Structure formats: C-alpha cells, structure tokens
Amino acid sequence: MRLLIIEDEPDMLDTLAEAMRGEGYAVDEAADGEDGLFKATEIDYDAIICDVMMPVLDGFEVLRRLRLKKKTPMLMLTARTKVQDRIQGLDSGADDYLAKPVDLNELAARVRALIRRAHGNASPLITIGDVEIDTAAQAVRRAGDAVVLTGREYALLEFCVQRRGKIVTRTQLYEHLHDENDSPVSNLVDVHVFNLRKKLGQDFIVTHRGRGYSIGL
C-alpha cells in the first residue's frame, strides 16, 4: 500500500514517514499543501495523512480541492483541540481526525482501518479458501498454519486481496508497492507472485495474460 504524508514540520514528517515505512507502506512525502495536493491529484494513493496547519495551502484547502477530483481516504492531523475544528475537517470530507501529539501505534491502526473501509471490509480478517489474512496484524495463515512473507510479498498480497474479484494490473502493483524514491526491478512483481504461489498455492493468484493478476475472480 502506498501513502502520502503532507506535513510542513521536517522532524514530524521524517518521524511519520519512518513509522509508516516500518508498518510496511511505501511512503511519499510533501512538505507543504501545494506539493501535497499536486501529488495527491497525480498519484492514486491508498490513503493520505495530512496536517491542517501548513503554509501555502492549509490542510482544509488541500482536502476541499482534492475532494473535487478524488475520494482518496484522508486522515487529518492537527494541534488544534477545538471540537469545531474537527467538525470542519470531517464535514469537508476527511475520513478521520487525529490530534497531535500523535501516538504512532494509533495512527497506524487508523490508517489500516481507513484502507479497510475504503474497500468495504469492516473486519480486518479476510478469508479466501484455506488462506486467512489478518490486515490488522499483517499476518497470514494457510490451513491454520502461519505463513512467513516478506514485507513486499505481504504488501502485494494485501493489495490484491483488498481488490479480490478484480484484475489488478502490473502498473498498479508497481505504483502501490514502491514510493517515489524507489527504482523497482522490472520483473520484481513476477518474483513476488511466484513466491506467493509457492506459499499459498499455485491457483491462489491467477494470471490474466496481458492484463494482470487476480484473486477470487
């Protein structure tokens, strides 16, 4: 999954980005609202974390303009504690709100919940055949036994599982598994799919020649 973090305080931006990468996300960064809005408009992120108080464009304006074009899940961060400020953000189209100082574990849990809800999954547990994916714990079991996956293997698996029943293109996988600083190897997706099939069954991921991959289609 790929996130965008829009935050004008450099230390906070570094802290948030490092924490989210530690959770297994590909993370892009923006240091002001204008750059953040450009990236959010041009790239299909799985979720956006956006500070409210920023120069150039504040978080509310970023949210307002983005909602004219996209429905990307957005969590707003702010040092403001007034109820009216939270109401303004939610009424403007924000999906969640978190006050600073931020608890990083709570932030990660809220981002996971945002992504689940965006794909219509109220529960973190997704079962497909004998495979169970716990998106909260980022854990996978097959026939009751734990399956060990690398970070990128799990990211690819969750991305496809959240879109089960649909064909996911190679371009989508590259764009959501890697951030703006990565230089992915051209056959990396094929390698991850090959490894997942070895661990979860040859028929778990279906290849649609010239189109992409699917789970549960």
Side-chain angles (χ1 to χ4, degrees), residues 129-201:
D130 64 351
V131 177
E132 181 182 86
I133 301 98
D134 185 338
T135 60
Q138 297 186 337
V140 180
R141 305 184 75 85
R142 183 185 184 194
D145 297 325
V147 178
V148 178
L149 302 179
T150 67
R152 286 284 165 80
E153 287 170 0
Y154 177 82
L156 188 151
L157 174 64
E158 183 177 333
F159 186 83
C160 291
V161 164
Q162 296 284 17
R163 293 157 179 81
R164 58 194 180 279
K166 301 178 181 178
I167 295 176
V168 176
T169 68
R170 292 168 59 88
T171 299
Q172 285 178 298
L173 289 171
Y174 279 122
E175 289 178 347
H176 286 264
L177 290 178
H178 302 278
D179 62 33
E180 58 194 348
N181 299 311
D182 282 342
S183 298
V185 179
S186 61
N187 69 335
L188 203 54
V189 167
D190 298 326
V191 173
H192 292 325
V193 169
F194 176 79
N195 290 335
L196 285 170
R197 283 174 173 155
K198 286 200 301 183
K199 297 175 181 181
L200 303 178

Side-chain angles (χ1 to χ4, degrees), residues 6 12 14 19 39 52 54 61 96 98 100 102 107 110-111 134 139 150 153 156 158-159 166-168 192 198-199 203:
I6 310 172
M12 176 61 73
D14 289 344
K39 290 180 178 180
V52 169
M54 294 186 295
E61 185 61 17
D96 203 354
L98 192 58
K100 296 178 179 179
V102 174
L107 175 63
R110 287 178 179 270
V111 169
D134 185 338
T150 67
E153 287 170 0
L156 188 151
E158 183 177 333
F159 186 83
K166 301 178 181 178
I167 295 176
V168 176
H192 292 325
K198 286 200 301 183
K199 297 175 181 181
D203 298 328

Side-chain angles (χ1 to χ4, degrees), residues 46-107:
D46 295 287
I48 297 171
I49 300 170
C50 182
D51 189 24
V52 169
M53 299 296 292
M54 294 186 295
V56 188
L57 293 178
D58 67 19
F60 291 139
E61 185 61 17
V62 172
L63 176 62
R64 187 190 71 79
R65 296 189 190 185
L66 183 63
R67 283 294 176 259
L68 297 175
K69 300 179 179 180
K70 286 188 171 183
K71 298 180 180 179
T72 309
M74 182 176 286
L75 184 149
M76 307 295 288
L77 298 178
T78 183
R80 297 175 172 180
T81 58
K82 294 181 180 178
V83 173
Q84 188 57 42
D85 291 329
R86 296 197 294 273
I87 292 173
Q88 179 182 350
L90 294 170
D91 283 348
S92 298
D95 298 276
D96 203 354
Y97 214 100
L98 192 58
K100 296 178 179 179
V102 174
D103 181 280
L104 295 176
N105 290 325
E106 181 181 5
L107 175 63

